[in-house]
Amino acid sequence: MIELAFSILAADFAHLADEIALATAGGGSIVHVDVMDGHFVPNITFGPPVVAAIRPITQLPLDCHLMIEDPDQFIPAFAEAGADMVSVHVEVCRHLNRTLQHIIDHGMKPGVVLNPATPVEAIFEVLPMVHHVLVMSVNPGFGGQKFLPRSVDRIRHLARLRQELGLHYRIEVDGGVAHDTVASVVEAGAEMLVAGSAIFQPGQTEANARDFLRTARAAA
Ligand code: DX5
Ligand code: ZN
């Protein structure tokens, strides 16, 4: 199932509820929340209080992408705030299996994230326990960056592994996914498509979401 996970990082923060409503009206079905701590990535965004604030204004699942140094410490707060999915970077998790189990124990769906320079093999052992694998197609930290084309092969690799191992994890892709790149990631096997700057634009958000999904579904 092809889904648009719109990244509110690119939204107008002063009108977050309206922005979410517009992207939803255009067919977006997951709210992607980019949590950055200024340590793992060179940028700071928002945390559990913002998740708690948007929880009552949307029915859509809240997909929290944690770009933070010590995710274990914050998992209970994200659960409490109403997050549905939480993904953590393999690069920061010394005990990745434990961290993913921690997410599951808090009633959320666990995801694992790969930076562009991290080999897919690094997460092989946890593939059976994750709900989704998030392939970063830019180096995390900022919206509006250029899509890294090698990501397409990485998605294909994960789709092939899923079939060979008889698993069911979903494949999510994040960074530089826009009208000109979305077909290639869908053809490779991605189905949770994160997009921020390609969606949120004054006066065009709803139409952007609709056009994006049309292009994505045509490639499926
Ligand atoms: C980058 C974030 C992305 C970002 C994507 O670190 O994880 O989710 O918002 O933004 P665009 O779609 O503009 O590349
Ligand atoms: Zn993200």
Side-chain angles (χ1 to χ4, degrees):
M1 183 172 55
I2 301 293
E3 290 191 89
L4 166 59
F6 53 86
S7 166
I8 58 170
L9 184 60
D12 176 354
F13 296 156
H15 301 100
L16 213 38
D18 298 337
E19 295 277 78
I20 290 172
L22 287 170
T24 306
S29 52
I30 297 171
V31 184
H32 185 82
V33 182
D34 286 306
V35 179
M36 305 187 189
D37 67 351
H39 291 275
F40 177 57
V41 289
N43 197 4
I44 298 176
T45 55
F46 29 66
V50 171
V51 174
I54 61 179
R55 178 65 292 171
I57 60 103
T58 178
Q59 312 263 41
L60 299 183
L62 305 181
D63 169 30
C64 296
H65 172 195
L66 304 192
M67 288 160 273
I68 65 178
E69 285 290 350
D70 186 6
D72 289 74
Q73 195 190 330
F74 295 97
I75 286 165
F78 281 98
E80 182 72 20
D84 299 278
M85 302 177 225
V86 164
S87 56
V88 293
H89 274 260
V90 56
E91 299 86 9
V92 297
C93 293
R94 191 171 290 168
H95 306 289
L96 180 58
N97 178 296
R98 178 187 288 154
T99 302
L100 294 168
Q101 190 58 50
H102 199 35
I103 296 169
I104 295 168
D105 291 345
H106 281 81
M108 301 178 292
K109 293 174 176 161
V112 65
V113 195
L114 291 164
N115 270 343
T118 304
V120 168
E121 286 76 9
I123 59 166
F124 184 81
E125 295 300 331
V126 299
L127 288 175
M129 69 190 295
V130 295
H131 170 264
H132 57 287
V133 176
L134 172 46
V135 176
M136 287 310 299
S137 39
V138 297
N139 288 290
F142 304 94
Q145 300 184 80
K146 203 172 157 326
F147 180 81
L148 296 170
R150 289 181 64 94
S151 315
V152 174
D153 276 341
R154 293 158 62 72
I155 293 166
R156 207 173 277 127
H157 185 174
L158 280 159
R160 193 172 58 237
L161 270 180
R162 178 173 57 190
Q163 200 183 5
E164 285 169 9
L165 300 170
L167 296 173
H168 302 284
Y169 54 80
R170 300 190 71 192
I171 302 174
E172 184 173 30
V173 60
D174 184 2
V177 181
H179 302 280
D180 55 337
T181 50
V182 70
S184 65
V185 298
V186 169
E187 280 162 14
E191 351 119 56
M192 289 168 65
L193 310 170
V194 179
S197 51
I199 304 300
F200 290 101
Q201 284 174 306
Q204 282 171 251
T205 297
E206 184 177 343
N208 282 346
R210 190 167 295 124
D211 292 347
F212 179 96
L213 276 167
R214 191 179 300 124
T215 307
R217 289 186 173 134

